Amino acid sequence: MQENICPKCDVELEWKGQYHCDECEQDYVKVGYCPECNDKLEKLQACGAANYFCNSCNELKSKSKVKFEFQAVDAD
């Protein structure tokens, strides 16, 4: 199981409608990247299942091979 660790302070992120770090008071989004071409993947969600599609490779990617990163959400 993949842990959701804050990239800034290395503590476990909490889910509060989005990922949130209480330590550094920052919100994050989890973004997936293609394991072959490193382009950002499109998340397709239906019937409780999530799939990832690469528009550059024009194919579905296995969730187990997707590279995930947490990106900070700008406070407006």
Side-chain angles (χ1 to χ4, degrees):
M1 185 174 140
Q2 185 177 9
E3 294 183 7
N4 298 314
I5 303 296
C6 177
K8 197 173 188 180
C9 60
D10 293 326
V11 299
E12 183 76 21
L13 295 171
E14 291 186 43
W15 180 255
K16 296 181 177 181
Q18 61 186 349
Y19 292 98
H20 179 78
C21 179
D22 285 332
E23 187 75 26
C24 63
E25 297 181 2
Q26 178 67 56
D27 292 323
Y28 292 93
V29 291
K30 193 175 193 178
V31 180
Y33 291 92
C34 178
E36 280 83 37
C37 71
N38 290 318
D39 274 0
K40 188 174 176 180
L41 296 173
E42 183 177 347
K43 185 177 183 180
L44 308 172
Q45 214 163 342
C47 301
N51 293 299
Y52 295 88
F53 185 79
C54 179
N55 288 305
S56 295
C57 298
N58 199 32
E59 60 187 19
L60 286 172
K61 299 298 176 175
S62 170
K63 182 180 179 180
S64 65
K65 297 191 183 205
V66 172
K67 297 182 228 171
F68 290 102
E69 288 182 12
F70 285 98
Q71 296 179 351
V73 176
D74 293 329
D76 292 331

